[in-house]
Amino acid sequence: MKKVGKLLVLLLFCFIFCSCGTLAPVTSGITLDTLDNGIVQIENATFSEYIEMVEERSIVTEGDFLKIQIKVKNKYEKDLSIQYQFVWYDKDGMVMNEATQAWKVAMFVGREEGVLQGICPLAGAKEFKLIIRPFSL
């Protein structure tokens, strides 16, 4: 009977310990904000060791839609999955798409470069912010 009690306490402890590690997902990462003169803001120093923003390109399409391409590089030798989201600003610096853009997922194999692309769903955007954070299932 004592063995069963000890086993139950051990299982309960393991359950509590393991579940505590999954309560708070990582929501910080790297941000590129053109309103801030293109400054890259690092909110997760460990994550920034694995990914780098290499190049930014932007055009305004017919109909006045801002289209952005950001080349990023996986500096890590293993596969890296990320989530990214664009936030769009009008000429006055006001957010145009708050809570309307879903997070997108991208995966880069080790040392691979790739492009993250976004187009503002509303005409008239003048600036943007790109937020990148780690993604794991």
Side-chain angles (χ1 to χ4, degrees):
M1 191 68 172
K2 277 188 166 185
K3 283 185 178 183
V4 173
K6 286 182 181 181
L7 184 60
L8 286 174
V9 169
L10 180 63
L11 286 173
L12 181 62
F13 176 75
C14 288
F15 176 75
I16 292 170
F17 180 73
C18 292
S19 65
C20 287
T22 61
L23 290 179
V26 175
T27 58
S28 62
I30 302 170
T31 303
L32 170 64
D33 194 341
T34 59
L35 279 179
D36 224 359
N37 296 320
I39 292 175
V40 175
Q41 182 178 5
I42 297 170
E43 299 155 346
N44 182 329
T46 303
F47 180 60
S48 71
E49 294 175 11
Y50 298 120
I51 194 160
E52 174 183 13
M53 292 185 203
V54 178
E55 181 181 16
E56 170 202 338
R57 292 184 180 201
S58 63
I59 62 168
V60 177
T61 66
E62 285 187 41
D64 200 27
F65 295 97
L66 183 59
K67 182 177 182 178
I68 305 297
Q69 289 184 339
I70 306 290
K71 186 185 288 186
V72 297
K73 179 179 181 179
N74 176 5
K75 300 188 295 184
Y76 190 49
E77 66 270 0
K78 296 184 180 179
D79 294 353
L80 179 66
S81 295
I82 63 165
Q83 286 184 312
Y84 68 98
Q85 180 183 55
F86 285 92
V87 178
W88 307 97
Y89 300 100
D90 66 14
K91 64 179 174 54
D92 298 317
M94 302 295 289
V95 175
M96 297 176 68
N97 68 317
E98 192 170 10
T100 60
Q101 292 288 321
W103 287 91
K104 296 179 183 175
V105 176
M107 200 272 297
F108 300 95
V109 298
R111 308 280 183 212
E112 178 186 37
E113 285 188 2
V115 174
L116 304 179
Q117 182 170 269
I119 186 163
C120 184
L122 303 169
K126 301 300 180 201
E127 304 289 340
F128 71 94
K129 175 168 51 174
L130 171 63
I131 306 163
I132 302 174
R133 65 185 185 189
F135 177 73
S136 61
L137 296 173

